[in-house]
């Protein structure tokens, strides 16, 4: 078998079906030359403008010193994600009065244009209006609800925050829109 004399690269936009030819997109598979850099073949040509939420396929083919051209395989696929997830606390979102010392349900909505990570949710609580935050639960599945063992305290400056992570590692957090109250004391006799 003869050594490799060249490696070419194909960049395919799987959404449009077009191929990058070095300065634009065209129909039909286009092969781009790479250069040998040490022991690695590298494409140094112009990069396409990668489009958010688009899947691309990369394929390579080698040519040996005898001129035999490899039949390329399926290649590798990847999806570009430049957009952070969207997350919103839905309860408690401000003004509620919850009994302290009991289990309360924190709820939220979260989404991402490409997809959320596995167990993408972290919940935090602040008892001082957002000055300091404490993690309640991390690495939670995106179910939209979490049963929180609210502490037996009295505070009217409590906030919760829900953080979501997408598959590309982008992070977005949303706190309650306004403080809510934890009330742990029964009313006194008149």
């Amino acid at each position: 078998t003869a050594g490799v004399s060249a490696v070419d690269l194909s960049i395919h936009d799987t959404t449009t079906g077009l191929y990058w030819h070095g300065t634009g997109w065209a129909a039909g598979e286009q092969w781009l030359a790479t250069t040998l850099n040490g022991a690695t073949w590298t494409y140094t040509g112009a990069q396409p403008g990668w489009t958010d939420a688009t899947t691309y396929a990369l394929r390579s083919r080698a040519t040996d010193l005898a001129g035999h051209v490899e039949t390329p395989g399926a290649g590798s696929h990847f999806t570009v994600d430049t957009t952070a997830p969207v997350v919103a606390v839905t309860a408690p979102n401000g003004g509620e009065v919850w009994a302290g010392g009991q289990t309360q349900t924190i709820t939220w909505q979260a989404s991402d244009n490409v997809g959320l990570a596995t167990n993408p949710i972290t919940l935090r609580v602040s008892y001082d209006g957002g000055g300091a935050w404490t993690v309640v639960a991390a690495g939670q599945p995106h179910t939209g609800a979490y049963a929180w063992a609210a502490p037996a305290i009295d505070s009217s400056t409590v906030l919760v925050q829900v953080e979501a992570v997408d598959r590309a590692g982008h992070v977005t957090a949303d706190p309650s829109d306004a403080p809510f109250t934890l009330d742990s004391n029964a009313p006194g006799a008149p």
Side-chain angles (χ1 to χ4, degrees):
T1 60
V4 174
S5 65
V7 174
D8 297 318
L9 173 71
S10 168
I11 303 172
H12 179 217
D13 178 332
T14 64
T15 302
T16 65
L18 299 177
Y19 293 83
W20 182 249
H21 63 70
T23 58
W25 296 97
E29 191 156 26
Q30 308 288 313
W31 290 100
L32 307 163
T34 65
T35 56
L36 183 59
N37 183 6
T40 304
W41 293 90
T42 306
Y43 173 66
T44 58
Q47 297 283 323
W50 305 109
T51 303
D52 190 35
T54 299
T55 299
Y56 297 90
L58 300 179
R59 293 189 341 145
S60 64
R61 70 176 182 192
T63 303
D64 68 16
L65 293 172
H68 300 112
V69 179
E70 170 190 29
T71 300
S76 298
H77 291 74
F78 66 94
T79 302
V80 173
D81 184 358
T82 60
T83 303
V86 176
V87 63
V89 171
T90 54
N93 207 23
E96 296 91 344
V97 178
W98 281 4
Q102 297 185 19
T103 300
Q104 303 291 348
T105 302
I106 298 170
T107 61
W108 67 88
Q109 295 176 343
S111 63
D112 186 70
N113 64 329
V114 174
L116 294 171
T118 302
N119 299 325
I121 302 298
T122 297
L123 297 109
R124 294 182 179 84
V125 64
S126 172
Y127 301 107
D128 62 0
W133 293 92
T134 302
V135 173
V136 171
Q140 296 297 303
H142 173 45
T143 60
Y146 179 80
W148 174 46
I153 64 169
D154 290 312
S155 176
S156 62
T157 59
V158 185
L159 297 168
V160 296
Q161 180 187 73
V162 177
E163 175 184 285
V165 180
D166 71 13
R167 293 187 307 180
H170 301 115
V171 178
T172 302
D174 181 58
S176 305
D177 288 347
F180 66 96
T181 299
L182 282 180
D183 181 353
S184 299
N185 294 315

